Amino acid sequence: MLRLRRDGLAKTAGSTAITVTHAGETLVVSLRRLSSARRFTLRVRFAARDAVLTMPARASLREAREFTERHAAWIAARLDRLPETIPFRDGAIVPLRGVDHAIAHRPAARGTVWIASRCALDPSQQCAGSGANVGAGLDLCVAGAPEHIHRRVVDFLKREARRDLEAAVERHTRSLGLPARSVGLRDTVSRWGSCSASGSLNFSWRLVMAPPFVLDYLAAHEVAHLEYLDHSDRFWALARRLCAETDRAEGWLSTQGAHLHKFGAAE
């Protein structure tokens, strides 16, 4: 929850933020103090859809506010250019394992969520042939009341993500002979996966929306941390041995990964 104070500061999830006004719009900019920072740096985060000001540890809030106010137009312009979010609702196009699926509400049907070929539901549809984009004819069918669509789609994607990630982790740990303590799911915006010192692996469930080679790479990446809890040359050599498409997956995440966070925004 955001709590505004008389001094123009805000408190968000335990961190300080500055509020500034531009063209009648109130902008909330989170503050991040770093001992290694030598200057003020502003960035707009695609996934979190917010602005962050990184500042030297000894800089004052007055300096931070003045810097933010000077760049308020830049912040507003970057926020306005962020791609629109895509709620999980009837008719929305959602990727699953890199293939687009159309959410199709089936209020009278039994069950929860399932995948169906549009050709099977409607013979008049042109089915994709061999070598074509078969995703063009796939529906993600959701039963029940419309207010349940979001939750049911999220639950379905999480189940599919867990199944794929557990299979990938098991495959990579078997080759190393180092079992993971557990495999968990998160919805973080700062990282796609993590490995604790105790061997617990956590992943973003949104990876199931990416092409399979991306999910497999993240599983291999975190499994490699069971051997090397760092990003040394030895770690990267092991990660590339576990997953031959490491560089390709890193490139995909760099250019396309943030877009996975635009799906499933609340109405």
Side-chain angles (χ1 to χ4, degrees), residues 177-199:
L178 293 172
R181 181 178 181 181
S182 62
V183 176
L185 297 180
R186 300 286 188 272
D187 192 16
T188 56
V189 298
S190 60
R191 58 175 61 185
W192 295 108
S194 64
C195 174
S196 70
S198 64

Side-chain angles (χ1 to χ4, degrees), residues 32 41 43-44 51-52 151 160 175 179 204 223 234-235 252:
R32 182 182 180 218
T41 304
R43 65 189 177 107
V44 170
V52 178
R151 176 179 56 79
E160 295 298 296
S175 68
S204 168
V223 166
R234 293 184 303 174
F235 163 82
W252 192 96

